[in-house]
């Protein structure tokens, strides 16, 4: 797990936190905003439900930030969001494909 930061932005990083083996966060000042950038690796869909639930509970807990803070979650969330946008038009683009699975639903709910 890691996050690469461009050399000219290194001085703007104000915090680096390894939450666990699947979630890492950096806080970086960009302009007048503080950005929380998360690198994540979700358990695969064939892993036990309890393991997947624990990951999503941890991610939900650490991604709660104030209105003035920018939040970016990137990595492998091991889900398919599918092409059905109903109910998620504000967070989902128009160029998706396939069928949503349970992890895809969780991704969209996080957004």
């Amino acid at each position: 797990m890691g996050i690469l930061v461009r050399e000219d932005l290194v001085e703007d990083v104000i915090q680096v936190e390894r939450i666990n083996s699947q979630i890492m966060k950096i806080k970086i000042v960009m302009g007048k905003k503080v950005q929380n950038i998360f690198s994540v690796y979700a358990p695969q869909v064939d892993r036990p439900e309890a393991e997947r639930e624990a990951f999503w509970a941890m991610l939900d807990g650490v991604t709660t930030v104030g209105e003035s803070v920018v939040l970016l979650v990137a990595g492998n969330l091991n889900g398919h969001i599918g092409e059905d946008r109903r109910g998620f038009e504000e967070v989902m683009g128009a160029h998706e494909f396939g069928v949503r699975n349970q992890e895809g639903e969780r991704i969209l709910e996080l957004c």
Side-chain angles (χ1 to χ4, degrees):
M1 183 64 55
I3 300 174
L4 297 175
V5 177
R6 236 178 37 207
E7 189 173 346
D8 62 321
L9 297 175
V10 169
E11 295 297 320
D12 298 323
V13 174
I14 57 176
Q15 181 184 16
V16 177
E17 182 179 0
R18 182 178 183 264
I19 294 156
N20 62 27
S21 64
Q22 297 172 296
I23 304 172
M24 182 177 185
K25 173 180 87 170
I26 66 168
K27 280 187 176 183
I28 187 167
V29 178
M30 299 196 73
K32 295 181 181 181
K33 297 265 187 184
V34 173
Q35 296 195 13
N36 288 278
I37 301 172
F38 290 84
S39 176
V40 301
Y41 183 75
Q44 295 178 340
V45 296
D46 63 348
R47 300 298 302 163
E49 181 68 23
E51 182 180 334
R52 296 189 331 255
E53 288 293 333
F55 168 81
W56 287 102
M58 177 63 73
L59 188 59
D60 284 342
V62 298
T63 56
T64 303
V65 295
E67 293 275 328
S68 64
V69 178
V70 177
L71 175 68
L72 173 68
V73 177
N76 188 345
L77 293 169
N78 280 312
H80 300 280
I81 61 172
E83 61 186 44
D84 182 5
R85 297 179 63 216
R86 287 176 291 186
F88 297 104
E89 295 85 359
E90 291 185 25
V91 297
M92 189 174 163
H95 302 288
E96 307 304 332
F97 64 92
V99 177
R100 181 176 306 141
N101 64 7
Q102 181 180 2
E103 275 62 31
E105 188 77 23
R106 290 177 173 175
I107 293 167
L108 291 170
E109 288 171 358
L110 177 69
C111 294

